[in-house]
Amino acid sequence: MSQTPTADQLRNRLVDGILSEHDLPSDVEQAMRTVPRDTFLPGIDLKNAYTDQAVTIKDNPGQPLPLSCASVPSVVATMLGQLTARPGDNVLEIGAGTGYNAALLAELVGGDRDGRVTTVDIDSDVALHARTTLNTAGYEHVTVIERNGLLGAHEHAPYDRIIATVGIWDIPATWWDQLADGGRLVLPLRWRGQTRSVALTRQGNQLVSDGMELCGFVPVIGQNGEQTAPLNTADTLRLHYDQDQTIAANALTHTLRADNPAREVLSAQRIGGEESFDGVWLRASAHDDRVCRLEATPEAMEQALIRRPATPARTPALIDDASLAYLTVTREDADPQRPFRLGATAYGQRGEELARDLVAHIDAWGAARLAVPRLTITPSDTGDAPGHTISKPETRMTLTY
């Protein structure tokens, strides 16, 4: 009869599985093998605590996303790898969650021996949970502050490293003030409907990226730059966009009627079944201010309200007044290695033009599928850097390939 695996065995299996898919620095690997994730998830089955999945710790009634959760361990590991925290560093974490990430950070910086970790959360229950679990696991030296994370924690600034574990739409000026020159900021940054974990280094009045990874996080409380508009009366088709974009939601509602024919434009790009194509979205947002996110709920898909969206819950689209084109994936058996073909489906008077523009973005991605743009972020009161700029209230984002 086989024995039930211990927490240590499950934790090592989890880390082994992450290493099979991701390259991790040795210090991050050691931290993840050391910190007991189950301690930070009391009441959760031990096996589930060591599965590579998110775990909700506080629901958000009436909202589609939880108020707080334990992030997917492989994403946690990736972001810690991006952060490159070193022994002796002073680190600020925005979003305390379960306290697990703060414990990992404490291992990386040396805990109360050398480094310092401060974690901030706006929700009193979440902050209390983090304080309690950190104490239980032996990380009493981590500072937990109940506060709006957008304000940071000036008491212990300047910080060598700042990491956010909530989705951030615009980087607040307070973080600039609290991050040392030469310091690193890693955050799930949101723009044009997508979220990327971006690693940035402060160089004077600039933050310059050296890497970004696809991710998904609960958005921070207090930033309202992202808007949502229903595209049908049943609210099963939705458009997500940024506040600097002008969206004629009512006109689009009429455009997407069942009696309004759709047109399809195919690209030359094919993909395999496991091949990521999220770089199309990234490429488009680096050149085009019309990029939004189209969401089709399961009900919309069951009723076939739209055809073959690339990913129903999150498909990139181009919008111009009452016209729309979105990314599609069509199965074709001509190439068994890459049986899926990317294209665009169009609605509205200018739909075909938008579809052709989207296909141009697809083909540009296809020519360099692994290319990642450099992101430069400056305060909003400074001049634009060369490249395509997205303006937000507190910052300007410039993307260049």
Side-chain angles (χ1 to χ4, degrees):
M1 185 174 180
S2 61
Q3 292 184 335
T4 302
T6 65
D8 287 347
Q9 289 171 328
L10 291 170
R11 183 162 58 255
N12 284 316
R13 287 181 192 175
L14 171 63
V15 178
D16 289 343
I18 294 172
L19 285 171
S20 70
E21 301 287 338
H22 304 272
D23 293 327
L24 295 183
S26 59
D27 58 345
V28 174
E29 176 190 348
Q30 184 58 42
M32 295 198 72
R33 293 191 189 277
T34 301
V35 178
R37 189 174 188 245
D38 58 293
T39 301
F40 297 88
L41 295 169
I44 300 298
D45 179 78
L46 192 61
K47 183 178 179 181
N48 290 336
Y50 289 107
T51 301
D52 196 29
Q53 62 184 14
V55 177
T56 297
I57 64 168
K58 185 169 185 179
D59 290 321
N60 194 4
Q63 299 297 319
L65 295 174
L67 183 66
S68 185
C69 68
S71 301
V72 178
S74 57
V75 174
V76 170
T78 296
M79 292 182 69
L80 291 177
Q82 290 178 302
L83 189 66
T84 64
R86 304 159 301 188
D89 276 351
N90 184 20
V91 180
L92 172 63
E93 178 191 36
I94 308 299
T98 65
Y100 173 64
N101 200 62
L104 292 168
L105 288 166
E107 290 289 335
L108 293 171
V109 304
D112 59 351
R113 299 182 300 277
D114 299 297
R116 180 168 198 162
V117 176
T118 302
T119 185
V120 177
D121 205 285
I122 194 172
D123 187 87
S124 58
D125 292 337
V126 174
L128 178 59
H129 177 104
R131 177 71 278 160
T132 302
T133 55
L134 283 163
N135 289 349
T136 300
Y139 296 95
E140 298 91 343
H141 50 279
V142 171
T143 301
V144 180
I145 299 175
E146 180 191 332
R147 180 182 297 161
N148 184 341
L150 297 175
L151 300 177
H154 60 86
E155 300 93 326
H156 304 140
Y159 296 98
D160 304 295
R161 301 288 188 269
I162 298 178
I163 184 170
T165 57
V166 287
I168 302 297
W169 184 77
D170 194 7
I171 298 174
T174 49
W175 294 9
W176 290 81
D177 295 338
Q178 294 173 24
L179 180 65
D181 197 10
R184 283 176 72 80
L185 168 63
V186 172
L187 73 165
L189 189 60
R190 302 164 70 92
W191 75 96
R192 301 302 188 238
Q194 65 182 331
T195 306
R196 305 269 168 174
S197 176
V198 181
L200 301 148
T201 298
R202 182 173 181 183
Q203 300 174 3
N205 67 345
Q206 293 185 331
L207 293 166
V208 181
S209 75
D210 56 26
M212 56 181 68
E213 302 286 345
L214 185 70
C215 66
F217 276 82
V218 174
V220 71
I221 294 173
Q223 290 188 338
N224 302 307
E226 296 173 288
Q227 312 296 318
T228 300
L231 297 182
N232 61 348
T233 55
D235 192 22
T236 58
L237 291 174
R238 304 178 188 124
L239 197 67
H240 303 266
Y241 57 98
D242 291 337
Q243 67 177 23
D244 65 305
Q245 298 173 295
T246 302
I247 301 297
N250 290 336
L252 286 167
T253 298
H254 294 293
T255 299
L256 287 173
R257 291 182 312 191
D259 59 350
N260 194 351
R263 285 92 68 198
E264 188 168 39
V265 178
L266 294 176
S267 78
Q269 305 306 315
R270 299 176 183 272
I271 57 171
E274 301 298 323
E275 189 174 359
S276 172
F277 51 87
D278 274 294
V280 172
W281 201 333
L282 186 58
R283 175 74 66 166
S285 71
H287 300 282
D288 200 321
D289 279 326
R290 300 168 298 177
V291 182
C292 304
R293 173 165 74 93
L294 178 65
E295 176 190 2
T297 66
E299 293 80 7
M301 296 304 297
E302 288 173 6
Q303 298 169 21
L305 297 184
I306 60 173
R307 302 186 302 178
R308 296 188 295 277
T311 306
R314 44 180 305 277
T315 296
L318 299 185
I319 307 295
D320 191 346
D321 293 328
S323 299
L324 173 150
Y326 61 87
L327 183 67
T328 58
V329 177
T330 304
R331 185 178 182 92
E332 297 179 346
D333 294 326
D335 183 351
Q337 298 300 315
R338 285 182 166 175
F340 300 97
R341 190 171 179 182
L342 301 181
T345 292
Y347 292 87
Q349 184 176 358
R350 299 189 59 196
E352 286 194 45
E353 178 184 341
L354 292 175
R356 288 193 295 271
D357 289 345
L358 183 51
V359 165
H361 294 312
I362 296 169
D363 288 336
W365 163 81
R369 297 191 176 199
L370 300 181
V372 176
R374 168 167 287 193
L375 173 61
T376 302
I377 300 177
T378 57
S380 58
D381 58 357
T382 61
D384 294 340
H388 181 74
T389 298
I390 298 173
S391 294
K392 298 188 177 186
E394 297 199 69
T395 58
R396 291 177 176 174
M397 297 173 47
T398 302
L399 293 151
T400 54
Y401 274 89

